[in-house]
Amino acid sequence: EGAESYGNMWQKVRSIWKFVGANYAEHFDFFFLGGDDLFVVPENLRAYLSTLGSSDDDHFVGRRFKGYGKDNYFNSGGAGYALSRGLLKKYHSALDD
């Protein structure tokens, strides 16, 4: 949704998670988002994620940055991050239409 620009990044990421939450939340244990210049070894990521416990619990794996203001944090999409199914469901239910 919206213009294809860096300034519209939040809207693009929001749209991705809305779509994934609505269509795939019941089909996978974890969900990964990263930049197009990111290198990931899926076997290593899968092995690590399997050590976290139930995917129905809340798990966030990635780099969180502190933005401007008191409680302004954001996920580093360039470095990539993973959400568990449980966290994705909570996140998806909090996104407005």
Side-chain angles (χ1 to χ4, degrees), residues 1-96:
E1 298 176 24
E4 182 66 29
S5 70
Y6 186 80
N8 194 35
M9 188 65 68
W10 161 241
Q11 182 60 39
K12 293 192 306 187
V13 171
R14 181 180 166 275
S15 296
I16 289 168
W17 287 125
K18 281 181 68 172
F19 179 83
V20 171
N23 295 285
Y24 296 102
E26 299 300 328
H27 300 285
F28 299 97
D29 294 330
F30 286 89
F31 302 86
F32 185 81
L33 181 68
D36 62 355
D37 57 351
L38 175 67
F39 181 79
V40 175
V41 179
E43 296 84 4
N44 293 351
L45 180 59
R46 179 180 292 162
Y48 177 72
L49 294 175
S50 72
T51 69
L52 300 178
S54 173
S55 60
D56 290 316
D57 293 336
D58 297 344
H59 298 289
F60 167 83
V61 177
R63 176 72 167 99
R64 188 173 75 150
F65 286 104
K66 174 85 171 86
Y68 298 107
K70 182 178 178 193
D71 292 320
N72 183 10
Y73 294 92
F74 61 95
N75 301 328
S76 172
Y81 58 94
L83 304 178
S84 64
R85 174 178 42 238
L87 188 57
L88 174 63
K89 286 180 179 181
K90 285 182 180 178
Y91 186 50
H92 182 259
S93 70
L95 293 171
D96 59 305

